[in-house]
C-alpha cells in the first residue's frame, strides 16, 4: 500500500509556543508532561478566563479535504472542542478526553479519535473545504473559565484522514510517500 506525500503545515507540532500560535485566556506551561513520543515535551494549557482557546491561523489552506489532529490528554478538564472556521462557517467537534468519545458535530464534519494509552488520545476532524484560503484552527480547552488539558503534536494536512505524526520544527514538513518492496521466489513442491 502506498500513501501519497503528506505535508504537516502546522509550523511547530511539538512546541506550541506563541511565536507561531496565539492564546485567548490560556496560560501555557511548556515541557510539562511526557507526550506520546515518550519525551517531556507536552504543553499544559490552563484556562485563565472565559472561552479559553488555542488559535492557529492556517493561511493558504487548499480547497478540498483537510484533516486537523492533535494529541490531547485530560488535565482538570476532560473537554476539548476543535473548531475550524472556514470563511464564514464553523466546523466543530467536541471530544471527551476520558473515554475518547465525541459529540457536537456540525454538518459535513467527520471526527476521529484514537487511544494512545496513558490517558492520551489523538483526536481530530476532517471536512471538505469549499474555498482555498484561510482556516482558523481553534482548540477550546474548557466549557467554563476553569480547567486544563495537555496538548502535543498539532497536524494540519490535506486529505480526508490523518496520517502518522509528521514532526515540524518551525516550518511545514513534507513526508515522502511510503513505499514497500517485496522479493518473491518461485518454488515448486
Amino acid at each position: 500500500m502506498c500513501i501519497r506525500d503528506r505535508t504537516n503545515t502546522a509550523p511547530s507540532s511539538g512546541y506550541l509556543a506563541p511565536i507561531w500560535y496565539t492564546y485567548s485566556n490560556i496560560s501555557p506551561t511548556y515541557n510539562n508532561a511526557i507526550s506520546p513520543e515518550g519525551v517531556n515535551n507536552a504543553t499544559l494549557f490552563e484556562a485563565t478566563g472565559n472561552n479559553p482557546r488555542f488559535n492557529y491561523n492556517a493561511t493558504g489552506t487548499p480547497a478540498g479535504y483537510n484533516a486537523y489532529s492533535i494529541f490531547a490528554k485530560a488535565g482538570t478538564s476532560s473537554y476539548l472542542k476543535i473548531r475550524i472556521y472556514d470563511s464564514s462557517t464553523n466546523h466543530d467537534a467536541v471530544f471527551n478526553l476520558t473515554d475518547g468519545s465525541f459529540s457536537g458535530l456540525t454538518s459535513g464534519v467527520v471526527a476521529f479519535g484514537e487511544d494512545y494509552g496513558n490517558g492520551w488520545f489523538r483526536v481530530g476532524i476532517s471536512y471538505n473545504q469549499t474555498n482555498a484560503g484561510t482556516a482558523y484552527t481553534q482548540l477550546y480547552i474548557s466549557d467554563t473559565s476553569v480547567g486544563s488539558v495537555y496538548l502535543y503534536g498539532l497536524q494540519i494536512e490535506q486529505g480526508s484522514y490523518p496520517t502518522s505524526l509528521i514532526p515540524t520544527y518551525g516550518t511545514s514538513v513534507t513526508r515522502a510517500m511510503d513505499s514497500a518492496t517485496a522479493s518473491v521466489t518461485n518454488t515448486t513442491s
Side-chain angles (χ1 to χ4, degrees):
M1 177 178 162
C2 291
I3 297 175
R4 67 182 173 93
D5 294 356
R6 284 291 185 103
T7 300
N8 182 0
T9 60
S12 184
S13 61
Y15 189 62
L16 305 174
I19 191 169
W20 296 284
Y21 308 101
T22 61
Y23 310 127
S24 297
N25 297 322
I26 287 180
S27 175
T29 305
Y30 304 103
N31 303 324
N32 189 268
I34 304 296
S35 74
E37 182 183 7
V39 178
N40 188 32
N41 59 357
T43 302
L44 175 67
F45 286 96
E46 295 181 275
T48 60
N50 291 329
N51 294 314
R53 66 188 179 276
F54 165 92
N55 305 292
Y56 176 59
N57 179 359
T59 58
T61 52
Y65 280 97
N66 290 282
Y68 300 79
S69 63
I70 195 160
F71 290 91
K73 181 177 181 176
T76 59
S77 176
S78 60
Y79 170 97
L80 180 70
K81 176 168 65 176
I82 297 178
R83 168 174 282 168
I84 309 302
Y85 178 78
D86 170 16
S87 300
S88 61
T89 306
N90 289 330
H91 306 279
D92 293 343
V94 178
F95 296 89
N96 181 326
L97 299 178
T98 57
D99 65 11
S101 63
F102 48 84
S103 61
L105 298 178
T106 55
S107 179
V109 170
V110 175
F112 48 85
E114 183 178 353
D115 188 341
Y116 270 72
N118 197 28
W120 284 99
F121 291 91
R122 187 175 187 199
V123 296
I125 66 173
S126 68
Y127 74 98
N128 191 1
Q129 186 171 326
T130 55
N131 300 307
T134 300
Y136 299 92
T137 306
Q138 297 178 322
L139 305 174
Y140 290 80
I141 67 162
S142 175
D143 54 355
T144 65
S145 60
V146 298
S148 64
V149 297
Y150 298 92
L151 298 175
Y152 168 78
L154 178 64
Q155 185 149 307
I156 301 170
E157 59 191 309
Q158 189 175 12
S160 60
Y161 58 89
T163 59
S164 61
L165 181 63
I166 304 167
T168 60
Y169 304 97
T171 187
S172 64
V173 172
T174 299
R175 176 182 53 220
M177 84 170 120
D178 298 331
S179 62
T181 59
S183 176
V184 178
T185 303
N186 188 6
T187 60
T188 58
S189 53

